[in-house]
Amino acid sequence: MSWDPRQRAMLAEMGFRVPAASVMAEAVDVIETEPEPIVVAAPPPAVVSVAAPAAPSSFADLDLPALREAVSGCRACGLCEQRRNAVFGNGAVQQAQWLVVTDPPDEGDDASGEAFGGDAGRLLDRMLSAAGQRRTGDEATAFVTPIVKCRPPRGRAPQPGELDACEAVLARQAELLRPRVVLAMGLQAARRLTGLTEPLGRLRGRVHRWRDLPVIVTYHPAYLLRSPADKAGAWDDLCLARRTVND
Ligand code: SF4
């Protein structure tokens, strides 16, 4: 596989190292041929649209700060019982270009109340930067939030009723932030937002829809830390998200 200079710079931002043999091949490509286009899978013939409950009135009229406050004390499902802190998410404070929806909070998130600290958070920030997005500072363009805001006990998968209850929060976040694309990171986020139960690898490479928003599926940063060879695939997913926004 060959990479053009822009792709190589972004891959470097993500911490992905292109093998030396590829560097040589790329040098030849750049001199003799046009850069290889990024190939992404075509969207499925039928659009997958997920029916979801409307935001309950307790969330529907809230602005972002009020919604954050409501979530901190939310008791709409059983996940409130063992959480230490609800994880509302962070990033853009008005309109977000990207809404990044991740798997449920981990133990560190639950302890801090913040999404994505540590190495996974640093990789996420590099991935966003590579795609021209950022979740921190006054210029933040992305908002990162988990699919459910409270950590399920012992890290189990959230149950359907818990996902239903917390989707009301996510729906209100989407209404307020008006993203142009949703990036689903991780299997649980991907299955919920696509309404499909296929393996994550089969959900990647196509455009799904959730509440009239395009959804792109990719790997969770914690998984990429364990399986760095899949960073190249994650880069393809980020490119598809960029293309989807620009179409
Ligand atoms: S997971 Fe969501 S719906 Fe359930 S208590 Fe936490 S914030 Fe409320």
Side-chain angles (χ1 to χ4, degrees):
M1 182 178 293
S2 65
W3 307 94
D4 69 27
R6 184 180 61 84
Q7 291 171 318
R8 288 176 54 75
M10 290 185 172
L11 285 168
E13 278 288 311
M14 289 171 56
F16 179 73
R17 295 177 184 222
V18 180
S22 296
V23 174
M24 295 301 295
E26 180 212 329
V28 173
D29 285 347
V30 169
I31 293 169
E32 298 184 353
T33 66
E34 290 293 315
E36 181 179 305
I38 298 168
V39 178
V40 295
V47 169
V48 178
S49 194
V50 180
S57 55
S58 57
F59 296 137
D61 297 329
L62 302 182
D63 62 15
L64 214 52
L67 185 62
R68 181 185 292 273
E69 182 66 27
V71 165
S72 71
C74 179
R75 303 190 66 81
C77 82
L79 293 183
C80 67
E81 299 294 342
Q82 296 187 46
R83 73 169 179 231
R84 283 180 283 182
N85 295 286
V87 179
F88 185 73
N90 54 37
V93 294
Q94 295 186 358
Q95 184 172 10
Q97 292 183 33
W98 286 24
L99 178 61
V100 181
V101 181
T102 68
D103 280 351
D106 65 16
E107 200 167 358
D109 301 335
D110 179 57
S112 67
E114 296 294 332
F116 275 98
D119 291 343
R122 283 186 280 279
L123 177 57
L124 172 63
D125 288 337
R126 289 203 300 274
M127 294 170 71
L128 291 175
S129 174
Q133 302 292 313
R134 54 184 301 175
R135 66 164 172 151
T136 57
D138 294 340
E139 306 295 319
T141 55
F143 193 92
V144 179
T145 188
I147 189 76
V148 292
K149 313 311 181 197
C150 303
R151 182 173 187 258
R154 297 174 298 283
R156 66 161 170 78
Q159 297 171 353
E162 295 160 351
L163 289 160
D164 287 346
C166 213
E167 184 158 334
V169 179
L170 184 63
R172 184 60 182 156
Q173 288 176 311
E175 286 174 2
L176 291 165
L177 292 164
R178 292 169 287 128
R180 298 180 66 187
V181 69
V182 177
L183 190 67
M185 284 186 144
L187 181 62
Q188 294 170 51
R191 285 184 168 172
R192 179 65 187 187
L193 295 183
T194 64
L196 300 173
T197 57
E198 297 170 45
L200 187 135
R202 288 201 201 138
L203 298 175
R204 295 178 47 242
R206 50 183 161 140
V207 181
H208 306 268
R209 295 200 80 80
W210 172 76
R211 293 179 178 265
D212 289 332
L213 292 169
V215 176
I216 308 299
V217 170
T218 193
Y219 301 108
H220 193 282
Y223 166 81
L224 291 173
L225 289 173
R226 299 190 302 271
S227 305
D230 281 326
K231 285 181 178 176
W235 169 240
D236 287 341
D237 301 332
L238 298 179
C239 289
L240 178 56
R242 285 165 55 99
R243 285 163 54 99
T244 300
V245 167
N246 294 332
D247 280 350

